[in-house]
Amino acid sequence: MENEFRTPFWQDFTIADAFGEDAVKDTFDRAFEEWKSDYRYLTDLVIVLNHKLWEHYEKGNESLARLYDSLWKKADGYAMDTLKDDELGYFLDQTD
């Protein structure tokens, strides 16, 4: 996949994929805690998680697809609950 993201999240999660679910969870926990207050990075994180969910689903890796789905739901829900005004507009534009 061509890197269309502003952040290193795609590369970080691709590396974590090779080490399994615990590595993916750890990567998410660190990224989410550090960047959840930056709406652009949060948006990128949500997009990357969604892409990774579908990547693993299409490869038939149900366990990683389910994990990415749960992480996506957490990050997306947080964004929808906390972002306001222009930040929410940006999020919705980018994730639509």
Side-chain angles (χ1 to χ4, degrees):
M1 165 164 214
E2 180 181 324
N3 184 6
E4 60 189 77
F5 305 107
R6 294 180 183 91
T7 65
F9 295 144
W10 181 262
Q11 294 91 340
D12 293 347
F13 283 103
T14 297
I15 292 166
D17 287 344
F19 292 94
E21 291 183 30
D22 288 341
V24 171
K25 289 177 197 171
D26 182 60
T27 300
F28 172 80
D29 290 342
R30 286 182 292 107
F32 186 70
E33 281 307 309
E34 184 167 347
W35 297 108
K36 67 183 178 184
S37 63
D38 182 314
Y39 73 97
R40 290 180 187 266
Y41 273 62
L42 177 60
T43 299
D44 222 39
L45 179 60
V46 169
I47 293 169
V48 168
L49 294 170
N50 185 266
H51 281 252
K52 284 292 189 177
L53 182 173
W54 287 105
E55 174 189 40
H56 290 291
Y57 176 80
E58 289 172 355
K59 288 180 178 178
N61 189 335
E62 289 183 35
S63 63
L64 267 179
R66 272 192 234 114
L67 174 58
Y68 274 109
D69 182 55
S70 70
L71 300 176
W72 171 80
K73 286 177 181 173
K74 179 177 179 177
D76 184 72
Y78 177 84
M80 293 299 291
D81 289 343
T82 60
L83 297 178
K84 306 288 184 235
D85 304 322
D86 290 343
E87 292 178 359
L88 180 58
Y90 175 86
F91 177 81
L92 294 172
D93 281 346
Q94 297 300 307
T95 58
D96 184 20

